[in-house]
Amino acid sequence: MKRVTQKIILIVIMMFQCIDIQNVKVYAKPQDQERNCEKNQWVFISQEIVEAMQNINVEIFTRKLEELLQSNFLEEFQFQETENAICIYLSTEHDPFDLYVFAVYKEEVNGNIVREKSVYVSRESGNIYKKEEKEMILLGTDVIKGIGLPDESRQVWNYEEGSISGAKGEEILDMAAVFLREKEGITGFKIMYYGIYTFSDRRYHNVYLVEESDTNIHILQRYYIDDQSLKMYKEPEDWYADTEILLYYIGNLEK
């Protein structure tokens, strides 16, 4: 809770710092100009605070749902002690009632990250459901309720614009090349760095194993490297299909 409070304070401070009153254009009498500036400023701050609070709610909601899953509170999902739940808020559905949709993944004992069933949480009742053939099946009651989340569609993977170059990228590329040669036994290859993707609260460096010709570059394999742990994963060959395995864990890079 202390961490959340600190975040709220920091967000509010940052919002005040971002406001430039001189850039607010107001067409009014001189005596009304100051009043209108204050009103516009307050509307701007109010919208930003609402959005900031909703994003904090997403984090609170997500962490609570992950705790419930890892404690095996929902019989539909079974986690071993060392396995982690990864939940990602996707959107709100309004049929048959307001439901928050979360994608659920499991980080298994062997390090692989696999897809689980998505869960649907009622905003009003806090009940948790799964969907099978458009039918909502109750999994748990009165769990999380009364928290407002943004009514928008979110992606599971998000690409960070402008992340394709830099010293960190070159370092990751060098380590990945050593790993592939010494641990995977791959020789005579070329790899390219393709920037950073975020998945839940994790950041992954994206590296491609490629084959070049005179006219194009063919991607042979995609790899994802955790920015913090330096765990390296490879994407399934049938990544384009709805496969259970999201990422195969193949080892840790060493500096």
Side-chain angles (χ1 to χ4, degrees), residues 7-182:
K7 283 188 176 181
I8 295 173
I9 294 173
L10 179 60
I11 290 170
V12 174
I13 291 174
M14 291 174 65
M15 288 189 294
F16 275 106
Q17 290 176 338
C18 291
I19 297 172
D20 184 358
I21 296 300
Q22 294 179 355
N23 289 333
V24 179
K25 296 182 179 180
V26 181
Y27 300 92
K29 296 179 180 179
Q31 62 267 28
D32 295 332
Q33 193 167 11
E34 183 176 350
R35 185 183 305 113
N36 288 337
C37 283
E38 292 176 353
K39 181 178 179 181
N40 289 342
Q41 177 184 354
W42 173 245
V43 170
F44 172 76
I45 294 173
S46 299
Q47 291 174 342
E48 291 295 316
I49 289 177
V50 169
E51 291 177 4
M53 287 300 300
Q54 286 182 333
N55 288 329
I56 291 173
N57 285 346
V58 169
E59 181 177 345
I60 295 172
F61 209 122
T62 301
R63 298 297 165 259
K64 179 61 177 178
L65 191 55
E66 287 174 344
E67 291 174 4
L68 291 174
L69 289 166
Q70 288 176 187
S71 66
N72 294 323
F73 178 82
L74 304 175
E75 293 184 1
E76 181 74 18
F77 302 87
Q78 293 298 312
F79 286 78
Q80 298 184 39
E81 186 175 351
T82 57
E83 293 181 327
N84 297 313
I86 302 172
C87 296
I88 300 175
Y89 174 59
L90 298 180
S91 62
T92 301
E93 288 191 6
H94 301 285
D95 184 22
F97 42 84
D98 288 348
L99 294 166
Y100 297 135
V101 187
F102 284 84
V104 178
Y105 298 83
K106 177 190 291 187
E107 188 173 25
E108 297 183 318
V109 174
N110 59 12
N112 293 343
I113 298 177
V114 302
R115 293 182 178 90
E116 298 279 337
K117 293 181 182 294
S118 294
V119 296
Y120 301 75
V121 186
S122 168
R123 175 175 180 172
E124 296 301 323
S125 68
N127 293 346
I128 299 180
Y129 302 85
K130 68 174 181 178
K131 182 183 290 188
E132 288 189 358
E133 297 180 354
K134 298 183 179 181
E135 181 182 357
M136 305 305 297
I137 299 174
L138 183 64
L139 300 178
T141 60
D142 194 25
V143 179
I144 310 170
K145 63 181 178 180
I147 296 181
L149 302 186
D151 187 6
E152 61 185 28
S153 296
R154 299 188 172 198
Q155 301 296 318
V156 172
W157 288 101
N158 293 283
Y159 179 71
E160 288 190 5
E161 297 294 337
S163 64
I164 200 167
S165 61
K168 184 63 178 291
E170 293 178 4
E171 180 185 6
I172 290 293
L173 199 61
D174 289 341
M175 289 191 292
V178 172
F179 181 91
L180 293 175
R181 184 169 54 250
E182 296 182 355

Side-chain angles (χ1 to χ4, degrees), residues 178-207:
V178 172
F179 181 91
L180 293 175
R181 184 169 54 250
E182 296 182 355
K183 304 294 184 180
E184 296 291 289
I186 301 175
T187 59
F189 60 86
K190 293 184 179 180
I191 56 176
M192 61 182 290
Y193 184 78
Y194 197 69
I196 295 175
Y197 281 83
T198 57
F199 172 74
S200 183
D201 58 350
R202 308 179 183 193
R203 300 171 77 241
Y204 291 91
H205 299 273
N206 196 204
V207 172

